[in-house]
Amino acid sequence: MEVNYKALKDEGFMRQIQQDNFSLRLKVVGGNLSSEQLLTISEISKKYGDGHVHLTSRQSVEIPFIKLEDVEAVKKELEAGGVNTSVCGPHVRTVTACQGSRVCPSGCIDTYALALEVSDRYFGRVLPHKFKIGITGCRNNCLKAEENDLGVKGGFTVEWIPDACTLCGVCIKACREGALTQSGNEILRDVDKCSNCGRCAKVCPFHAWKGDPGYLLTFGGTFGNMIAKGEQFIPIIHDKETLFRVADTALAFFEKHARPGERFRGAINRVGWDSFKSEIEAAYKG
C-alpha cells in the first residue's frame, strides 16, 4: 500500500529512523494541558508507543514510536480524550506562550487567552514555509519572542499621577532603562528611553503610575539554520483589532512574496525591509 507521508506529516506524524515508526507532535497551545489530557497522552504512549513522551523546545508534546498501522486508532483515541494532533511542514505552527498576567506578577497581558485567539485565527494555515508565533507576557521575555517569525510581547504605556505620588523614588530605582528622573516635585519620563516594561506601575506602592497594557510586535525572527533577531519598528498596540490587522498583513506579505521553502525573514530580506515596513505601518495606522 502506498503511504502518503506528506499527508501524515501535515497531521503531525513525523517519520523516525525506524521504518514505519512516527513521532507524533500534539497541538499544545501556549504550553497548557489539562490533567485529563495528560492522562490521555500517557495512555496513548503506553498503548501505541514505547511508554515515553518528548517535550519539545516549543512547548509541545511528541509521542514517539507510533506504528503506521496504528495511526488512525491513535487519532481517534486522542480526539476522544480532548487532545489534537499538531501540524508540521509549511503551516502556521502551534502558538507558544508564557504564563502571562494570569499567573506571573511580571506579566502585562493575558498571554494564554491571546494565544487561543491567535491559534483559532491562524493555526494550520498553509504558507510557503513554516511560520512560528510566540507570545511573552513582559519585557523579561521568558518565551524569547524575537526568535519567532511573529513575536508578541506584553508591555505598558504608563502615565504619572502627581496627586497620588509621594516622591518615594521606588519607581526611579525600578526603572532599568534610566527613563525616570525627579525634578523638584515632579517625576519625568524620557519617552525615548522608556521600553514600555511597566515596572514603574507595578512597583509603585501608592498607585501613582497608571499602566495601560498593550502588545509590542517583532517580525522576522528565526532560530534554526538561519539565526536572526525579530525586528520591532512600530509602537505599542493597545487593541486587538489593530493587532490582528497587523498580523494579517504580515502573513499576507509572506504568502504573496515568499518562494516555496523560503522563511519569512528570507522573504523580507529579498523583497526589502522598506517595502515590508511600509505595509505594516499602513496596517498599524488603519
Side-chain angles (χ1 to χ4, degrees):
M1 181 182 69
E2 186 176 348
V3 180
N4 188 337
Y5 289 106
K6 181 183 182 302
L8 286 169
K9 186 176 181 180
D10 286 346
E11 292 185 282
F13 290 88
M14 299 175 294
R15 295 172 72 176
Q16 295 182 197
I17 293 175
Q18 296 81 7
Q19 186 174 358
D20 291 336
N21 279 255
F22 299 86
S23 187
L24 171 57
R25 183 173 294 169
L26 304 177
K27 182 183 179 183
V28 183
V29 180
N32 277 266
L33 287 168
S34 68
S35 56
E36 289 80 9
Q37 289 174 315
L38 287 170
L39 286 172
T40 296
I41 294 168
S42 175
E43 290 302 317
I44 293 293
S45 173
K46 287 185 287 186
K47 184 175 179 180
Y48 295 105
D50 71 345
H52 90 279
V53 300
H54 172 68
L55 303 180
T56 76
S57 61
R58 298 196 74 249
Q59 300 183 324
S60 187
V61 176
E62 291 175 5
I63 308 175
F65 294 98
I66 300 296
K67 308 299 184 290
L68 179 60
E69 63 266 23
D70 294 327
V71 164
E72 293 304 320
V74 167
K75 288 162 56 178
K76 184 177 180 180
E77 292 184 31
L78 283 172
E79 184 178 0
V83 180
N84 296 313
T85 61
S86 189
V87 294
C88 299
H91 300 87
V92 175
R93 301 296 182 83
T94 304
V95 180
T96 57
C98 70
Q99 296 204 72
S101 59
R102 189 182 299 186
V103 173
C104 178
S106 298
C108 298
I109 58 172
D110 187 341
T111 52
Y112 184 53
L114 180 60
L116 289 173
E117 291 185 61
V118 172
S119 180
D120 288 345
R121 191 179 186 99
Y122 301 120
F123 172 74
R125 178 170 167 177
V126 178
L127 291 168
H129 204 343
K130 60 187 173 184
F131 192 95
K132 298 177 180 179
I133 302 174
I135 304 171
T136 199
C138 69
R139 296 290 298 195
N140 289 338
N141 204 14
C142 294
L143 196 89
K144 304 176 181 66
E146 288 89 349
E147 290 183 2
N148 291 269
D149 297 283
L150 175 61
V152 183
K153 188 181 299 179
F156 276 174
T157 297
V158 295
E159 178 186 356
W160 181 57
I161 306 172
D163 292 342
C165 185
T166 65
L167 300 175
C168 68
V170 169
C171 59
I172 296 174
K173 294 177 182 177
C175 180
R176 294 170 176 170
E177 310 298 332
L180 300 181
T181 56
Q182 181 177 342
S183 177
N185 293 327
E186 189 176 10
I187 303 295
L188 304 177
R189 181 174 67 93
D190 186 333
V191 294
D192 292 328
K193 291 184 178 179
C194 180
S195 66
N196 300 110
C197 71
R199 284 174 60 84
C200 53
K202 287 183 176 293
V203 303
C204 180
F206 305 103
H207 306 292
W209 286 97
K210 178 184 177 184
D212 183 16
Y215 315 102
L216 296 156
L217 303 189
T218 56
F219 306 90
T222 60
F223 206 75
N225 291 324
M226 176 175 67
I227 297 176
K229 180 182 177 182
E231 304 290 336
Q232 179 186 331
F233 54 84
I234 57 173
I236 191 169
I237 294 170
H238 289 289
D239 64 284
K240 287 182 181 175
E241 180 182 353
T242 302
L243 171 65
F244 285 120
R245 186 169 63 245
V246 169
D248 286 348
T249 301
L251 267 73
F253 183 95
F254 184 40
E255 191 169 37
K256 177 180 178 181
H257 294 289
R259 295 165 177 165
E262 183 178 45
R263 288 295 297 272
F264 186 40
R265 179 77 178 213
I268 298 173
N269 287 343
R270 180 172 49 78
V271 175
W273 277 89
D274 287 344
S275 176
F276 176 67
K277 287 180 178 180
S278 178
E279 292 192 28
I280 294 297
E281 287 165 356
Y284 171 81
K285 294 173 183 177

